[in-house]
Amino acid sequence: MTETTNIELKYFKTIGHEYQWFILYEFAVSDKVLFDKSDKEILKEIISSKILNKSLYHNEMDGIEIELKGLGEAPRRPFEFDKIETSNFQFIESKTDFQNWVSRFRTKGWEDDREDAQILIDRAEKELWSRTNLKNGLWHLTKENFEDNSDKLIEIHWIYLHFETFIEIDRANSMIRTFDFGYD
């Protein structure tokens, strides 16, 4: 499955505000057998694939105006995906559970940038709800769950105050949707 010929970036949206950013991707997967597997088996297959790897930049973005300048060089996910296991992900079962997560996310750890974060989160939510209703649930991987010296984090992990990666497995549309919140 992890062969790039089976995976196509169909949609992406970048949103940035000051030092916070949000990136949403939708990947069509032509390997229909993948969607017959359990969520955890799918996660295991997409870890370190084009869908879920360190780089947030994809060649399909070439020549397209994107809101985050310099995306080709950075940002990068702060995870060592060859050491990440499915047990490092937390399952968020419903849209309501995700909205509760967003409510908590809005209020903690923003230091002096809280107002800017609220603007970004509002814009990100609007984009997200225009693309999905999250009826499939979400898998969540957060930098916050690892110690600073964890071998599951790459060296630049310290640059991010927050880094949140979400994965939605959309079997009905043969699609994997990912989105990331970052704050550096």
Side-chain angles (χ1 to χ4, degrees):
M1 192 316 282
T2 57
E3 293 180 32
T4 57
T5 57
N6 295 335
I7 303 167
E8 184 181 355
L9 178 62
K10 287 293 200 179
Y11 178 84
F12 72 91
K13 177 71 176 182
T14 62
I15 300 172
H17 189 79
E18 297 299 325
Y19 298 102
Q20 295 90 31
W21 42 266
F22 169 83
I23 303 176
L24 170 69
Y25 301 101
E26 291 179 351
F27 294 94
V29 180
S30 60
D31 179 2
K32 305 300 182 210
V33 174
L34 176 73
F35 295 101
D36 293 335
K37 299 179 180 183
S38 72
D39 279 12
K40 287 192 175 188
E41 289 171 320
I42 293 171
L43 282 176
K44 192 172 185 173
E45 282 209 37
I46 66 171
I47 290 173
S48 295
S49 74
K50 176 182 178 177
I51 294 172
L52 195 64
N53 60 30
K54 291 177 190 175
S55 177
L56 290 168
Y57 178 76
H58 298 280
N59 290 337
E60 294 96 331
M61 299 165 123
D62 280 347
I64 299 172
E65 183 72 25
I66 55 179
E67 191 166 330
L68 299 179
K69 304 300 179 214
L71 183 61
E73 300 96 42
R76 298 174 63 82
R77 290 184 178 108
F79 307 110
E80 286 286 0
F81 282 104
D82 57 337
K83 297 177 182 172
I84 295 292
E85 301 166 13
T86 57
S87 61
N88 296 126
F89 291 86
Q90 300 164 326
F91 187 64
I92 298 175
E93 192 167 334
S94 68
K95 181 177 178 178
T96 301
D97 292 340
F98 178 70
Q99 288 173 316
N100 291 336
W101 179 89
V102 169
S103 293
R104 287 187 307 274
F105 188 61
R106 284 180 180 279
T107 60
K108 67 172 191 162
W110 291 107
E111 299 176 5
D112 297 333
D113 296 326
R114 184 181 177 133
E115 188 174 311
D116 292 331
Q118 303 314 308
I119 292 167
L120 174 85
I121 293 168
D122 288 344
R123 291 175 61 202
E125 276 191 295
K126 184 177 178 181
E127 176 63 22
L128 185 60
W129 301 140
S130 77
R131 304 300 300 178
T132 184
N133 61 13
L134 298 183
K135 70 178 180 180
N136 305 297
L138 287 170
W139 291 93
H140 179 211
L141 182 63
T142 179
K143 172 189 175 283
E144 187 175 281
N145 285 351
F146 300 104
E147 297 292 325
D148 278 347
N149 61 352
S150 172
D151 67 347
K152 294 182 180 186
L153 295 173
I154 61 175
E155 291 177 17
I156 65 162
H157 76 86
W158 55 267
I159 200 169
Y160 299 111
L161 280 100
H162 292 288
F163 202 101
E164 313 295 327
T165 295
F166 294 88
I167 300 106
E168 180 185 17
I169 300 167
D170 185 346
R171 286 178 172 81
N173 296 305
S174 299
M175 183 175 298
I176 305 287
R177 190 173 289 109
T178 69
F179 55 96
D180 299 270
F181 287 98
Y183 174 34
D184 55 22

